[in-house]
Amino acid sequence: MRDSLSRRRLLSAGAIGAGGLLLAGCDRLSKPGPFRSLLESAEGAHFHSQRLIIGDALAQEFSVADMSPNFRANGNRDANGNAAWLSHSARQFADWQLRVDGLVLRPLDLSLEALKAMPQRAQITRHDCVEGWSAIGKWRGPQLGAVLKSAGLLPSARYIVFHCADSTGTSPYYESLDLIEAHHPQTILAWEMNGAALPIAHGAPIRLRAERQLGYKHAKYVMRIEARASLAGLYGGKGGYWEDARGYQWWAGI
Ligand SMILES: Nc1nc2c(c(=O)[nH]1)N[C@H]1C(S)=C(S)[C@@H](COP(=O)(O)O)O[C@H]1N2
Ligand SMILES: [Mo]
């Protein structure tokens, strides 16, 4: 069992070096269907190879004892440059609403209470920032997949975009996931961190947790979720603030 698993890992690692040649022989991918069309919608051999290796694996979860005593805040620590967010923040987000729109059957405006009333998932995970630090924290909120289900994705939807309240200079922060990552069980809209309401510095009122991805994918201050057919034509076109600004990889699998 162990042997064949490590052998499979080795073969997959070899396939990355060879530019994803493994794909050619993969029966599951040669059949038309949603799985293949999802893969075809994303770019790059690196992404394809990683997807094959990780499949539907869960990110590691930890125990309460493993939680970091200090979880640093990084990037923007508020969205005070955004007047709408600022006035919601002053009122403890009492009548803040998350907009869900784009390629959906039923555009939604969800209050914090509505998000809290949905089935919740809690997870203790490690956050890895590319700047070279990690921290373990506990996150809780509804699964993104459930939110998307209530909005009803149209067949043309391929990407889920997270529009944030904060900006750096004139560039708003945004991020995006493909549909596989968006529906992963550990992809949640967290309104709670370490057992308390999500602090301002960590993205209040809600932030994305996509636990198999690097830190910059975990969008804070999410105001709007948009389903799109393509990332082209949106800001720099690369699917995220850091992807546009610094060329960070869109597929940020850990
Ligand atoms: N809206 C928004 N989301 C963001 C950022 C940001 O500046 N603005 N920074 C990203 C980066 S690089 C990291 S490492 C994490 C930091 O999350 P934390 O402040 O909870 O540690 O948020 C990510 N999400
Ligand atoms: Mo980061």
Side-chain angles (χ1 to χ4, degrees), residues 39-50:
L39 283 175
E40 282 169 351
S41 69
E43 327 87 346
H46 172 69
F47 168 79
H48 289 272
S49 308
Q50 282 234 356

Side-chain angles (χ1 to χ4, degrees), residues 102-120:
L103 298 172
V104 297
L105 276 170
R106 298 170 291 273
L108 304 173
D109 292 295
L110 297 168
S111 67
L112 218 38
E113 291 315 310
L115 290 168
K116 292 177 185 178
M118 296 176 69
Q120 305 288 302

Side-chain angles (χ1 to χ4, degrees), residues 191-245:
W191 56 269
E192 196 181 270
M193 176 188 186
N194 295 347
L198 184 66
I200 297 282
H202 294 282
I206 61 158
R207 65 104 47 91
L208 175 69
R209 294 300 309 174
E211 303 295 354
R212 305 194 300 181
Q213 303 278 315
L214 288 168
Y216 58 90
K217 300 296 282 189
H218 300 238
K220 308 195 281 189
Y221 316 108
V222 177
M223 301 288 269
R224 175 179 168 222
I225 293 177
E226 181 196 11
R228 293 177 66 98
S230 158
L231 299 172
L234 180 65
Y235 303 116
K238 297 205 172 69
Y241 171 81
W242 286 111
E243 289 87 332
D244 288 340

Side-chain angles (χ1 to χ4, degrees), residues 8-10 14 22 59 74 78 84 101 125 131 160 189 197 201:
R8 215 173 345 124
R9 286 238 170 89
L10 212 63
L22 189 70
N74 203 42
D78 62 53
D101 62 11
T125 53
E131 290 166 30
I160 305 302
L189 297 175

Side-chain angles (χ1 to χ4, degrees), residues 71-76 127 133 166 173 202 207 215 218 220:
F71 195 120
R72 63 179 270 189
N74 203 42
N76 286 326
H127 178 99
W133 59 274
D166 59 316
Y173 203 97
H202 294 282
R207 65 104 47 91
H218 300 238
K220 308 195 281 189

Side-chain angles (χ1 to χ4, degrees), residues 38 51 142-149 153 158-162 176-189 208-213 225-227 250-251:
L38 283 175
R51 243 306 135 57
Q143 288 174 317
L144 176 62
V147 172
L148 297 176
K149 195 175 175 195
L153 288 180
R158 286 287 176 275
Y159 298 95
I160 305 302
V161 174
F162 306 87
S176 59
L177 298 176
D178 63 32
L179 296 188
I180 296 178
E181 217 58 21
H183 288 91
H184 185 271
Q186 289 168 316
T187 299
I188 66 172
L189 297 175
L208 175 69
R209 294 300 309 174
E211 303 295 354
R212 305 194 300 181
Q213 303 278 315
I225 293 177
E226 181 196 11
W250 177 79
W251 172 250

